[in-house]
Amino acid sequence: MSITPNGVYYFTNQTSNIFLSQEESLYAYTVYIGQHNIQLEQGDCLYFISDDKKEALLINGKRTIKSLHCATIIRGYNPPSKTTALKANTFLPYVNGCSTRQIFPAERLGDPTLQMLYIPPFTSEQVHHIHSTARIVYCLEGVGYSIVGMRGNSIKTELKAGMTIILEEMVPHHFETEMEGLKVIPLHIFSSIGNLEFNHPMFNGTHIVE
């Protein structure tokens, strides 16, 4: 595992690791990287990748699940169990020429969601951005780079298939590629609710003067 000073954690699949969400995090989750036998309790749901990396699975209820790659428990969320193939292409536009597909859409506005994100070759202009909730990102195919931190104090890390990235909330970041594209599977621990997140007293009371 490697850790940046900016709230991002990188794991390879060569060793087994367990990552616990911070005590002060708004939502509780646990990430299992590498090979694990995972015990689910009542009220847990588990997002994980099949052994052959051809399917994404969402399982709930009290049981034991074997995972070889990356699996995330979210506590207190109880959606139906489901399975989806990962071979389909991405269909929805995303920022700066990237594209995405909903693997497991949110059941309700703001619920967790599993997505697929494709970053095409020679992507260097993806806008630097933050997310209001944590992301667990599994690198499915390709090669790329993660750039984390603010201007003048950013860290660039190479990404390869099989790696897992944990992005804590509000971490400035973006992805880049060179000759090869990068396909990743980000789990949004809880999904944002768009423009409603800007409807709060501090933002409404801020007026830009140019």
Side-chain angles (χ1 to χ4, degrees), residues 45-48 56-60 77 79-83 104 107:
C45 71
L46 183 73
Y47 291 81
F48 67 109
L57 300 96
L58 172 54
I59 303 294
N60 66 16
Y77 180 57
S81 295
K82 58 191 79 172
T83 303
F104 297 136
E107 297 288 337

Side-chain angles (χ1 to χ4, degrees), residues 59-201:
I59 303 294
N60 66 16
K62 192 170 183 178
R63 64 183 81 189
T64 300
I65 299 293
K66 181 180 179 181
S67 173
L68 296 182
H69 307 297
C70 177
T72 302
I73 287 178
I74 299 179
R75 298 212 149 82
Y77 180 57
N78 194 40
S81 295
K82 58 191 79 172
T83 303
T84 297
L86 294 175
K87 63 181 180 180
N89 291 325
T90 49
F91 305 111
L92 298 173
Y94 192 53
V95 295
N96 301 103
C98 302
S99 56
T100 186
R101 175 169 70 90
Q102 297 192 73
I103 297 175
F104 297 136
E107 297 288 337
R108 301 177 308 170
L109 192 66
D111 280 349
T113 175
L114 187 68
Q115 303 283 319
M116 178 180 288
L117 172 64
Y118 177 64
I119 304 145
F122 305 108
T123 296
S124 61
E125 71 282 358
Q126 189 188 41
V127 65
H128 213 55
H129 60 280
I130 63 172
H131 302 295
S132 55
T133 64
R135 301 287 192 266
I136 314 303
V137 184
Y138 182 74
C139 298
L140 186 65
E141 299 174 3
V143 177
Y145 298 91
S146 169
I147 292 81
V148 176
M150 296 301 287
R151 182 179 298 173
N153 191 33
S154 61
I155 298 174
K156 186 174 183 177
T157 303
E158 185 178 19
L159 304 177
K160 296 180 180 180
M163 290 181 65
T164 296
I165 312 150
I166 299 176
L167 283 159
E168 293 184 339
E169 58 270 21
M170 305 302 181
V171 174
H173 70 281
H174 72 274
F175 297 119
E176 294 181 357
T177 56
E178 294 179 346
M179 296 184 67
E180 186 174 352
L182 179 66
K183 185 178 289 184
V184 299
I185 302 174
L187 171 62
H188 304 198
I189 294 300
F190 270 69
S191 54
S192 61
I193 50 176
N195 290 334
L196 293 178
E197 289 193 344
F198 295 104
N199 186 20
H200 62 86

Side-chain angles (χ1 to χ4, degrees), residues 1-36:
M1 178 184 71
S2 63
I3 306 172
T4 78
N6 300 293
V8 181
Y9 306 80
Y10 299 96
F11 300 86
T12 66
N13 210 25
Q14 298 170 350
T15 57
S16 297
N17 288 277
I18 299 176
F19 179 91
L20 301 175
S21 58
Q22 307 299 322
E23 289 186 4
E24 64 271 18
S25 294
L26 193 57
Y27 306 108
Y29 60 93
T30 304
V31 185
Y32 297 85
I33 300 100
Q35 184 170 335
H36 291 274

